[in-house]
Amino acid sequence: MYENILLDIRGRVAVLTVNRPNKLNALNIATRSEIIAALDSLRANDEVRVLVVTGAGEKAFIAGADITEFAGRTALEQREVMLAKRMFDAFEEFPKPVIAMINGFCLGGGCEVALSCDIRIASENAQFGQPEIKLGIIPGGGGTQRLTRLIGEGKAMELILTGDMIKAEEAKALGLVNHVYPQSELEARTMELANRIAEMSPIALRMAKEAVKSAARLTLREGLEREIDLFALCFSSQDKEEGVKAFLEKRKPQFIGK
Ligand code: COA
């Protein structure tokens, strides 16, 4: 069904793999369209509660936009490409948790995909950067905004102005990734985390994601009010009754997503 991505549904966790290993999983227009279509199909699939995003092979997560498509493209053409379907927003606005499993080069648009995800887990060989400046352009998939919000202006500015790459441990020290594991353990550790999150109520997960995401958009006062609304909304779910009951009965809850 897809030519540039693989979609593997493993119980409650879907794994979306960008599958152009010979091009270090660079994102061409066709791949972006397939990712957006896959996100649409997964959004409607109630069985899937968590999404993991990764790249094929052992070398790259995603080495950025496909640079070959930039050659000769005009400003207006590029604007159309970027406005037509905002893949990065689709990850950020996906109503279920999204974990980036970063197994190698995570550059440019690849770093911006990771930044649009909710949690980032990297292998020791992963390298991060926004190298657009070296091409005479700037990050255009949200990098100047999301990287700055995540790691602060000073470090984001240095990475974006130099185009330098940093290793996984430094990315962890900056708060760009949550955990770093040997490549041989990356998948098992990421799936373990994904499955643990997938056991929670999907309604509560959705409310939690929305509440945390609103922190970047709203003032503190507005955000605290939004949190109260989303918290109260959880009380309309059967899952909240089940969670509380299970605690009182000293058993594990069985959340049904209602
Ligand atoms: N767009 C298109 N093709 C890309 C690519 C990209 N962003 N990144 C890598 N590739 C291709 C290479 O052209 C090469 O293709 P070829 O075998 O047909 O020549 C293949 O992927 C393997 O990459 P290669 O450069 O040979 O690997 P390397 O280990 O020597 O270097 C990188 C790895 C990541 C340092 C290097 O590929 C690179 O700098 N890529 C571009 C990163 C970038 O600027 N991204 C932001 C774009 S806005």
Side-chain angles (χ1 to χ4, degrees):
M1 187 170 148
Y2 300 112
E3 282 178 21
N4 301 285
I5 63 170
L6 304 169
L7 197 53
D8 185 15
I9 302 204
R10 306 183 196 171
R12 291 172 167 177
V13 179
V15 180
L16 189 162
T17 305
V18 179
N19 189 28
R20 302 181 76 215
N22 296 338
K23 296 292 171 193
L24 303 189
N25 304 317
L27 295 172
N28 57 3
I29 292 176
T31 308
R32 286 169 190 240
S33 300
E34 290 185 9
I35 289 173
I36 288 165
L39 291 179
D40 282 343
S41 78
L42 293 171
R43 189 177 293 117
N45 184 341
D46 288 341
E47 302 300 309
V48 171
R49 296 194 179 176
V50 175
L51 173 63
V52 170
V53 183
T54 193
E58 300 216 319
K59 204 169 158 186
F61 172 66
I62 299 169
D66 189 320
I67 299 170
T68 58
E69 290 185 344
F70 285 168
R73 192 183 281 167
T74 66
L76 285 179
E77 285 165 356
Q78 181 61 25
R79 190 165 192 272
E80 283 308 306
V81 168
M82 294 175 84
L83 289 181
K85 289 264 187 181
R86 298 288 309 200
M87 178 194 62
F88 304 98
D89 295 346
F91 279 116
E92 188 169 84
E93 288 159 13
F94 194 67
K96 313 173 193 202
V98 186
I99 303 176
M101 181 163 81
I102 303 161
N103 54 318
F105 287 115
C106 181
L107 303 173
C111 194
E112 291 168 309
V113 166
L115 288 165
S116 305
C117 296
D118 301 313
I119 296 176
R120 288 154 288 279
I121 316 272
S123 57
E124 285 168 345
N125 66 319
Q127 295 198 57
F128 298 79
Q130 296 287 164
E132 290 87 347
I133 203 86
K134 295 180 176 173
L135 300 171
I137 55 176
I138 68 169
T144 64
Q145 304 304 303
R146 294 193 180 101
L147 186 64
T148 305
R149 281 172 162 82
L150 190 63
I151 69 172
E153 185 180 303
K155 287 311 288 188
M157 193 70 93
E158 183 178 341
L159 285 172
I160 290 168
L161 296 185
T162 62
D164 283 349
M165 280 195 240
I166 55 169
K167 298 207 161 101
E169 277 305 334
E170 189 177 349
K172 185 178 167 197
L174 289 175
L176 178 47
V177 298
N178 297 48
H179 303 283
V180 178
Y181 299 118
Q183 187 147 36
S184 58
E185 291 176 27
L186 177 68
E187 185 169 337
R189 298 283 204 136
T190 307
M191 290 306 290
E192 189 270 323
L193 177 70
N195 280 307
R196 212 145 42 79
I197 294 173
E199 283 183 11
M200 309 302 169
S201 161
I203 295 170
L205 290 174
R206 184 170 183 170
M207 300 300 148
K209 175 166 174 171
E210 195 177 325
V212 173
K213 284 287 171 195
S214 64
R217 284 196 297 267
L218 303 177
T219 63
L220 179 60
R221 178 55 43 206
E222 290 164 343
L224 292 171
E225 282 167 14
R226 187 88 194 107
E227 184 188 79
I228 288 171
D229 289 343
L230 294 168
F231 179 84
L233 212 45
C234 294
F235 277 62
S236 66
S237 71
Q238 291 176 38
D239 279 350
K240 168 251 162 187
E241 288 300 322
E242 166 64 5
V244 172
K245 202 158 163 256
F247 175 82
L248 297 175
E249 292 170 2
K250 300 188 189 304
R251 63 174 173 80
K252 216 175 147 198
Q254 293 298 326
F255 293 121
I256 56 170
K258 290 201 171 119

